[in-house]
Amino acid sequence: MEQVQYLDWNNSIQILNKAYETGLFVLIIGPKGTGKTSLVRDFAKNKNVNLESINFSLRTRESHLIGTKTLTDGTVSFDEGVLVKSMKAGNMLYLDEINSAEADVLLRLDEALDDRRQISLKESTGEVIKAKENWFVVATINPLTHSGTKELPPQILSRFPVRIRLEYPPENIELEIVKKHVSGEHESEIIQAIKLANTLRQAAAVEELFYSPSLRETIAFGKLVDKEMSPKDAAKIVFGNVYTQWGNIEYQKVSDIITSMFGN
Ligand SMILES: Nc1ncnc2c1ncn2[C@@H]1O[C@H](COP(=O)(O)OP(=O)(O)O)[C@@H](O)[C@H]1O
Ligand SMILES: [Mg+2]
């Protein structure tokens, strides 16, 4: 997928720049779909540094970070994981959704993130890998309301002293962002969809609804109306139908809101 240029609406690039120059690691906190990954990708691209990424889940193992021994034609070699690779090369390392990781994985990561910036390869030769000078780490976490996320232990948090908070943008900014991804026609319909998204986000924030739509949804809406789908249908498909997952009452609540905003 082609990379759309990131719209830096709250000065995050400047903060990232200062963190990069001082070698302070960064934590980005915000709900899904608020632009965390795009921000980091865009930053790395502009800095012209290579980016190693890992997306954490309950299934992420230490070996994904460190590496695994492999045997080919009778020769044992070590297939380096993203952490070791990025430390050796002095690349940028992106730890996505770090609060989905298991405790043992975080512990191993902590070894590398402390002030010595080194890790011992007990899996292989026991060699100690020291990170290159310009090694830089950015991690993201979702707020605790997201399912599957855990509280990040304080000692890991403290490895990331620069914290950027990303929220859903103000309406006019969200419109600008969506327009970067779509044709630019149908502006009034997109504004309406952003209003709908914000209504649903507010309801989700006070736990009246189970799901909070992100910029992914407002962008998807824009793309569908670009393809001549009626705004009402696009709203139902992108914003409404998902609530069926929590039953008919939840779905009906949202359907009524859509009807009131987009007509029958
Ligand atoms: N500031 C922005 N500028 C351009 N596109 C954005 C911006 N914020 C979000 N997006 C778009 O919204 C979608 C979700 O963003 P993403 O970076 O994947 O969010 P997250 O990593 O927080 O889940 C992507 O299509 C992304 O391009
Ligand atoms: Mg992401």
Side-chain angles (χ1 to χ4, degrees), residues 24 174 256:
L24 296 169
E174 184 161 353
D256 292 345

Side-chain angles (χ1 to χ4, degrees), residues 195-254:
K195 286 194 197 305
L196 170 62
N198 279 327
T199 305
L200 302 175
R201 288 166 189 165
Q202 279 151 23
V206 294
E207 285 167 14
E208 274 171 23
L209 289 175
F210 286 106
Y211 182 78
S212 186
S214 75
L215 272 85
R216 289 203 191 101
E217 276 94 345
T218 48
I219 292 168
F221 175 93
K223 287 183 172 169
L224 291 178
V225 293
D226 259 356
K227 294 283 173 202
E228 311 303 330
M229 188 183 281
S230 80
K232 165 111 206 245
D233 284 346
K236 278 195 201 159
I237 288 167
V238 171
F239 294 99
N241 289 348
V242 64
Y243 292 94
T244 309
Q245 201 180 339
W246 294 277
N248 230 0
I249 295 176
E250 178 104 348
Y251 168 72
Q252 204 51 54
K253 241 196 281 185
V254 176

Side-chain angles (χ1 to χ4, degrees), residues 27-56:
L27 184 71
I28 306 175
I29 309 167
K32 69 181 161 53
T34 46
K36 300 183 293 297
T37 302
S38 337
L39 165 63
V40 175
R41 288 217 184 112
D42 203 62
F43 177 74
K45 198 172 138 206
N46 287 331
K47 274 262 163 303
N48 219 353
V49 294
N50 285 322
L51 188 65
E52 303 274 356
S53 307
I54 179 166
N55 187 264
F56 286 89

